């Protein structure tokens, strides 16, 4: 092909690429606009609304009084500490329970594995309020467990209902399906040939897990933990129904501050602080995704 013929072809290809880029930008324009309108704008509005407040003379002034109140109020700090404790305990339990299930589903076949997968995913299709009611009827006062223990002459169960452990049980059960699915997807990157090679040289199951499987699951574990933390930290229904009245997690605390106490400024401050903690875990997730893309490139 001569230079005279190659120039129009290159120009046509360049126009096609530009047209494809323009179509791609148009396709993502609406989602980006909705993201900015429904998420980013309310975040900035909340931050500004808690800093720029009306003074006694009616003029707008910069003030951090609501943040000072939160971090000096014992009850607010107690609620924040309970939220952090619940999130940490639920995150550890989810990984401790979900990882063995994911390992079993990854390396097992047959009807039993299908049943285990169905049971692990089943809570995903149960609404949180139904789950809370089922837990109350099962492990609550005079629930099914109490009735069974009483029938065989054993002492009553000390119920976790309306204690800090009540939301832990509910949140672990509610978030287990997503945890199992994400860990199972992460295990798909572990090839059977690598495991068989390790077994051929005499590696035991624990050594295979530590040296072969775990290093390839670092990204999946980080992403799974980030999703679990973000969901648990901002949970409302299960902590509201199953948890104690005091201290309470940040979700019910914000709702009660806004609705019952009619204090939107402090409720917004609590929301901004909650978003700040979630943002830290979100940064870990974004960095993990970015590193994964760099490694693939």
């Amino acid at each position: 092909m001569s230079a005279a013929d190659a120039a129009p072809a290159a120009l046509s290809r360049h126009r096609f690429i530009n047209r494809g880029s323009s179509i791609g930008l148009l396709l993502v324009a609406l989602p980006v606009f909705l993201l900015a309108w429904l998420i980013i704008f309310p975040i900035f509005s909340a931050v500004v609304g808690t800093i720029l407040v009306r003074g006694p003379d009616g003029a707008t002034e910069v003030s951090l009084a609501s943040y000072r109140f939160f971090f000096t109020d014992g009850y607010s700090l107690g609620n924040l500490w309970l939220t952090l404790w619940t999130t940490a305990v639920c995150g550890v339990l989810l990984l401790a329970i979900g990882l063995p299930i994911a390992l079993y589903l990854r390396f097992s076949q047959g009807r039993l594995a299908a049943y285990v997968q169905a049971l692990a995913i089943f809570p995903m299709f149960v609404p949180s309020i139904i789950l809370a009611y089922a837990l109350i009827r099962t492990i609550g006062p005079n629930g099914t467990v109490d009735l069974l223990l009483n029938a065989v002459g054993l002492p009553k169960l000390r119920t976790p209902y309306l204690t800090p452990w009540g939301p832990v049980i509910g949140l672990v059960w509610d978030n287990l399906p997503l945890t199992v699915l994400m860990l199972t997807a992460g295990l798909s990157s572990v090839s059977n040939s690598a495991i068989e090679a390790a077994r051929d040289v005499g590696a035991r199951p624990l050594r295979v897990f530590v040296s072969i499987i775990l290093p390839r699951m670092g990204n999946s574990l980080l992403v799974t933990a980030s999703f679990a933390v973000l969901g648990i930290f901002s949970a409302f229904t299960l902590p509201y129904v199953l948890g104690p009245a005091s201290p309470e997690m940040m979700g019910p605390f914000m709702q009660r501050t806004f609705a019952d106490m009619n204090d939107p400024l402090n409720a917004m401050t609590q929301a901004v602080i909650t978003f700040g903690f979630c943002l830290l875990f979100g940064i870990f997730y974004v960095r993990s995704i970015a590193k994964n893309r760099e490694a693939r490139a």
Side-chain angles (χ1 to χ4, degrees):
M1 180 183 295
S2 64
D5 296 331
L11 181 60
S12 177
R13 186 165 54 252
H14 181 70
R15 288 176 179 175
F16 177 78
I17 294 174
N18 287 339
R19 188 181 306 145
S21 302
S22 301
I23 295 175
L25 291 175
L26 289 176
L27 290 175
V28 301
L30 181 59
V32 170
F33 172 75
L34 292 176
L35 175 67
W37 179 35
L38 299 177
I39 298 178
I40 297 178
F41 174 74
I43 291 173
F44 281 101
S45 177
V47 173
V48 173
T50 56
I51 296 177
L52 298 179
V53 298
R54 291 187 178 274
D57 55 353
T60 302
E61 59 183 20
V62 178
S63 175
L64 298 176
S66 60
Y67 293 94
R68 284 196 297 268
F69 172 78
F70 182 93
F71 288 107
T72 56
D73 179 55
Y75 183 72
S76 300
L77 292 177
N79 294 334
L80 178 61
W81 166 249
L82 177 64
T83 305
L84 293 172
W85 177 85
T86 303
T87 302
V89 172
C90 289
V92 172
L93 290 177
L94 281 171
L95 292 179
I97 298 173
L99 185 56
I101 296 176
L103 288 169
Y104 174 78
L105 295 177
R106 169 63 179 82
F107 299 106
S108 299
Q109 297 179 351
R111 184 172 298 178
L112 181 59
Y115 289 151
V116 171
Q117 183 176 12
L119 289 175
I121 299 177
F122 175 73
M124 181 179 294
F125 306 99
V126 180
S128 297
I129 189 65
I130 303 300
L131 172 60
Y133 178 76
L135 289 175
I136 292 173
R137 297 301 300 167
T138 303
I139 60 177
N142 300 319
T144 303
V145 176
D146 268 351
L147 294 177
L148 293 176
L149 292 176
N150 183 64
V152 296
L154 295 175
K156 294 186 65 174
L157 171 72
R158 186 177 179 182
T159 175
Y161 176 52
L162 298 182
T163 70
W165 287 102
V168 169
I169 297 174
L171 291 169
V172 169
W173 178 266
D174 192 40
N175 289 274
L176 186 60
L178 182 60
T179 301
V180 172
L181 289 175
M182 295 182 69
L183 291 177
T184 304
L187 283 169
S188 62
S189 62
V190 181
S191 62
N192 292 330
S193 58
I195 296 177
E196 293 299 330
R199 289 175 177 174
D200 290 341
V201 297
R204 296 188 177 184
L206 182 59
R207 174 57 63 183
V208 172
F209 174 73
V210 173
S211 302
I212 304 297
I213 298 177
L214 199 58
R216 290 171 170 80
M217 288 194 63
N219 183 70
S220 299
L221 290 172
L222 182 57
V223 172
T224 303
S226 299
F227 267 90
V229 166
L230 292 174
I232 294 169
F233 204 95
S234 58
F236 173 78
T237 302
L238 292 173
Y240 182 77
V241 177
L242 300 176
S246 177
E248 55 191 342
M249 289 184 64
M250 293 300 293
F253 184 35
M254 285 184 281
Q255 190 275 339
R256 188 176 59 80
T257 303
F258 181 82
D260 297 344
M261 301 180 63
N262 194 23
D263 189 356
L265 176 60
N266 279 321
M268 195 181 302
T269 302
Q270 296 159 14
V272 172
I273 294 172
T274 301
F275 169 75
F277 279 95
C278 292
L279 181 63
L280 295 177
F281 294 100
I283 291 174
F284 285 113
Y285 169 72
V286 172
R287 289 187 61 186
S288 175
I289 295 298
K291 289 182 178 180
N292 191 27
R293 288 187 176 182
E294 289 178 0
R296 290 180 179 180

